[in-house]
Amino acid sequence: MASEEEEQYDTIHMGRSSIDLYSNDIGSPFTGINSFAAYVGGSPLNFAVGAHRLGLQTVLLTGLGQDPVGDFIDHFLRNEGVVTKFIPRNKHRTSAVLLGIEPPSKFPLVYYRENCADINLTIDDVIPLPFKRAKIFQFAGTNLSREPSRSATMFAAELANQNNLEVVFDVDFRPDQWHDVRAFGVAARSVLRLVDIVVGTEDEINASMVSADVSVISVSESVSDTQVKGNVEDAISRLFKMAPKVKAVVEKRGPQGARLHIRDLATQRVEVVDVPGYPVEVYCILGAGDAFGAGFLYGYVRGWGWYKSARLGNACGAIVVTKHGCANFMPTMAQVEEFVSSRGGF
């Protein structure tokens, strides 16, 4: 049996975590909600839980407060088997999210993240991470919204590069987490030099290239599906020019599945591959993109190839949009295989 110092991991995930309170009154406007169900969420946490349920050994670095909410999240993660020994418990409050559910398209979302525990992750919190014993480092764009998390995340990406890990950037555009939405683009572009794979929606990819014109951004109640006008093909072309290491931009397209923009780094030729999704009836969109990311990473780490990895991601996302939560409802591989068996497989 390997010692702690020799234990090998597949992925390291860094960023936000929260207690997620989902409305139990489906279809009710926010003012009519009578009760909430308590779950666990936050983009990198969802990635870590989802990938672990599929079969990867995942490490999570987030920040938890010394409070009952932090205990709630820590308890969940330990029961899941996600590696939590690198998670600091600091003096700040653990994050919270409240969500209304009005299918098929209205999901009002409220974040409580002011000076929260995970945005106070520091460089000292990053140093102990097992970069020498992992394959992938994944982080979320919201990490870059404030210090000290911004510097800590960029430092982690640098260490990942130095240790030959591939770096996966989940664009994760949440406009209400930024003092100026244009600052998101500035921060996203500043980290691209360290990144190997970018994962985001069309709107998120467009947002990463926004500079002066804020009129192109239309914030929705859901925050997570904010619309950003622009030509995504042009945005991806600009992104590739700014990011010498990026080998692929994985564009999440909701019910349409995914579009892969795969670059041969030797020739600079970009191949575009459409990967169809799995049609389902939408119950709640929150967490579906993270489920896609977890499935995609599993396939990528296991050597499934771009197309099959994205099909697995699409299947995971399709399952989660039919559920009442994020991390708590990430599928296992057995559940995914059962789901795809009657839908044409991978």
Side-chain angles (χ1 to χ4, degrees):
M1 185 174 178
S3 68
E4 273 197 14
E5 291 74 24
E6 297 172 330
E7 192 170 358
Q8 299 298 305
Y9 306 107
D10 292 304
T11 56
I12 300 171
H13 307 265
M14 179 177 177
R16 60 193 169 88
S17 60
S18 59
I19 185 171
D20 287 5
L21 303 179
Y22 276 57
S23 170
N24 285 323
D25 300 285
I26 310 305
S28 172
F30 213 93
T31 53
I33 294 173
N34 292 303
S35 66
F36 294 88
Y39 302 126
V40 168
S43 176
L45 182 151
N46 291 336
F47 268 73
V49 171
H52 183 74
R53 284 192 178 182
L54 293 171
L56 295 186
Q57 293 301 310
T58 62
V59 174
L60 178 64
L61 174 60
T62 187
L64 298 177
Q66 298 170 13
D67 52 46
V69 176
D71 295 340
F72 178 84
I73 295 171
D74 181 68
H75 177 74
F76 173 83
L77 291 170
R78 288 175 185 272
N79 283 346
E80 285 292 318
V82 172
V83 175
T84 61
K85 61 186 175 183
F86 302 100
I87 297 176
R89 302 295 295 268
N90 60 38
K91 65 181 181 180
H92 302 278
R93 287 267 179 102
T94 308
S95 175
V97 176
L98 274 68
L99 177 76
I101 302 176
E102 301 175 56
S105 59
K106 192 174 182 182
F107 303 93
L109 181 68
V110 183
Y111 286 106
Y112 290 88
R113 292 185 46 77
E114 185 64 33
N115 202 30
C116 66
D118 64 68
I119 210 66
N120 280 284
L121 287 171
T122 68
I123 287 173
D124 284 337
D125 296 324
V126 168
I127 290 171
L129 287 173
F131 291 106
K132 295 183 183 299
R133 294 177 283 125
K135 301 166 185 173
I136 298 283
F137 171 66
Q138 180 265 324
F139 70 95
T142 301
N143 296 26
L144 307 174
S145 62
R146 288 176 177 80
E147 292 290 1
S149 173
R150 180 188 300 121
S151 296
T153 300
M154 296 187 74
F155 178 71
E158 289 179 345
L159 289 184
N161 274 245
Q162 291 168 20
N163 287 280
N164 299 313
L165 278 73
E166 292 195 66
V167 176
V168 177
F169 175 28
D170 170 32
V171 182
D172 187 44
F173 178 46
R174 301 292 182 265
D176 67 339
Q177 298 304 299
W178 294 81
H179 71 281
D180 184 327
V181 290
R182 293 167 296 189
F184 170 78
V186 174
R189 294 189 292 274
S190 72
V191 80
L192 284 175
R193 63 185 174 82
L194 300 168
V195 172
D196 297 279
I197 298 173
V198 175
V199 180
T201 65
E202 175 181 341
D203 294 303
E204 288 176 326
I205 294 165
N206 283 336
S208 71
M209 294 295 119
V210 168
S211 53
D213 185 8
V214 296
S215 68
V216 299
I217 299 175
S218 176
V219 180
S220 71
E221 273 191 298
S222 300
V223 181
S224 61
D225 64 345
T226 291
Q227 295 181 347
V228 184
K229 298 175 186 175
N231 185 316
V232 71
E233 301 295 334
D234 288 347
I236 291 170
S237 178
R238 291 174 59 198
L239 186 156
F240 276 135
K241 289 176 181 176
M242 297 177 182
K245 292 173 75 264
V246 169
K247 65 173 72 172
V249 176
V250 180
E251 181 187 347
K252 299 181 293 186
R253 305 178 73 215
Q256 294 175 286
R259 176 169 289 166
L260 308 177
H261 306 260
I262 307 163
R263 177 168 63 168
D264 183 319
L265 294 177
T267 66
Q268 295 299 302
R269 178 177 174 271
V270 177
E271 179 186 9
V272 178
V273 179
D274 284 331
V275 184
Y278 296 88
V280 292
E281 185 175 345
V282 174
Y283 182 82
C284 179
I285 63 171
L286 271 296
D290 299 335
F292 169 88
F296 174 81
L297 278 187
Y298 175 89
Y300 185 75
V301 169
R302 291 289 186 255
W304 282 23
W306 295 109
Y307 183 90
K308 189 177 178 183
S309 297
R311 277 288 274 177
L312 173 58
N314 287 340
C316 293
I319 290 169
V320 170
V321 295
T322 68
K323 306 298 182 182
H324 190 245
C326 295
N328 302 66
F329 296 94
M330 294 288 166
T332 64
M333 185 57 77
Q335 290 169 329
V336 174
E337 289 173 342
E338 180 181 2
F339 174 83
V340 303
S341 65
S342 60
R343 295 173 170 84
F346 294 122

Short mmCIF file of all heavy atoms in Angstrom, two decimals, residues 180-182 210-218:
data_model
loop_
_atom_site.label_atom_id
_atom_site.label_comp_id
_atom_site.label_asym_id
_atom_site.label_seq_id
_atom_site.Cartn_x
_atom_site.Cartn_y
_atom_site.Cartn_z
N ASP A 180 -16.21 44.86 -11.97
CA ASP A 180 -16.40 45.39 -13.32
C ASP A 180 -16.33 44.17 -14.24
O ASP A 180 -15.33 43.44 -14.22
CB ASP A 180 -15.30 46.40 -13.65
CG ASP A 180 -15.47 47.07 -15.01
OD1 ASP A 180 -15.99 46.42 -15.95
OD2 ASP A 180 -15.06 48.24 -15.15
N VAL A 181 -17.38 43.93 -15.03
CA VAL A 181 -17.40 42.72 -15.85
C VAL A 181 -16.24 42.68 -16.84
O VAL A 181 -15.80 41.61 -17.27
CB VAL A 181 -18.74 42.58 -16.60
CG1 VAL A 181 -19.85 42.24 -15.63
CG2 VAL A 181 -19.07 43.82 -17.41
N ARG A 182 -15.71 43.86 -17.21
CA ARG A 182 -14.55 43.88 -18.11
C ARG A 182 -13.31 43.31 -17.43
O ARG A 182 -12.41 42.79 -18.10
CB ARG A 182 -14.30 45.31 -18.59
CG ARG A 182 -15.39 45.86 -19.49
CD ARG A 182 -15.27 47.35 -19.70
NE ARG A 182 -15.46 48.09 -18.46
CZ ARG A 182 -15.58 49.40 -18.38
NH1 ARG A 182 -15.52 50.12 -19.48
NH2 ARG A 182 -15.76 49.99 -17.21
N VAL A 210 -14.07 40.07 -23.90
CA VAL A 210 -14.64 41.41 -23.77
C VAL A 210 -13.59 42.37 -23.23
O VAL A 210 -12.87 42.04 -22.28
CB VAL A 210 -15.88 41.40 -22.86
CG1 VAL A 210 -16.29 42.82 -22.48
CG2 VAL A 210 -17.05 40.70 -23.55
N SER A 211 -13.53 43.56 -23.82
CA SER A 211 -12.57 44.56 -23.33
C SER A 211 -13.30 45.81 -22.85
O SER A 211 -13.56 45.99 -21.68
CB SER A 211 -11.53 44.88 -24.39
OG SER A 211 -12.15 45.25 -25.61
N ALA A 212 -13.71 46.70 -23.78
CA ALA A 212 -14.27 47.99 -23.37
C ALA A 212 -15.79 48.03 -23.41
O ALA A 212 -16.42 48.73 -22.62
CB ALA A 212 -13.71 49.10 -24.26
N ASP A 213 -16.42 47.31 -24.33
CA ASP A 213 -17.85 47.46 -24.59
C ASP A 213 -18.68 46.54 -23.70
O ASP A 213 -18.86 45.36 -24.00
CB ASP A 213 -18.14 47.17 -26.06
CG ASP A 213 -19.60 47.42 -26.43
OD1 ASP A 213 -20.34 47.96 -25.57
OD2 ASP A 213 -19.99 47.08 -27.56
N VAL A 214 -19.22 47.08 -22.60
CA VAL A 214 -20.02 46.26 -21.68
C VAL A 214 -21.45 46.05 -22.19
O VAL A 214 -22.19 45.24 -21.64
CB VAL A 214 -20.07 46.89 -20.27
CG1 VAL A 214 -18.70 46.91 -19.65
CG2 VAL A 214 -20.69 48.28 -20.30
N SER A 215 -21.86 46.78 -23.23
CA SER A 215 -23.23 46.66 -23.73
C SER A 215 -23.51 45.29 -24.32
O SER A 215 -24.67 44.90 -24.50
CB SER A 215 -23.51 47.73 -24.79
OG SER A 215 -22.76 47.49 -25.97
N VAL A 216 -22.45 44.50 -24.61
CA VAL A 216 -22.65 43.17 -25.18
C VAL A 216 -23.07 42.16 -24.12
O VAL A 216 -23.47 41.04 -24.45
CB VAL A 216 -21.37 42.67 -25.89
CG1 VAL A 216 -21.00 43.60 -27.03
CG2 VAL A 216 -20.20 42.51 -24.91
N ILE A 217 -22.98 42.53 -22.84
CA ILE A 217 -23.29 41.60 -21.75
C ILE A 217 -24.68 41.87 -21.20
O ILE A 217 -25.01 42.99 -20.82
CB ILE A 217 -22.24 41.72 -20.62
CG1 ILE A 217 -20.85 41.38 -21.15
CG2 ILE A 217 -22.60 40.81 -19.44
CD1 ILE A 217 -19.73 41.58 -20.15
N SER A 218 -25.50 40.82 -21.17
CA SER A 218 -26.85 40.91 -20.64
C SER A 218 -27.00 39.92 -19.51
O SER A 218 -27.05 38.70 -19.72
CB SER A 218 -27.88 40.61 -21.75
OG SER A 218 -29.19 40.60 -21.24
#
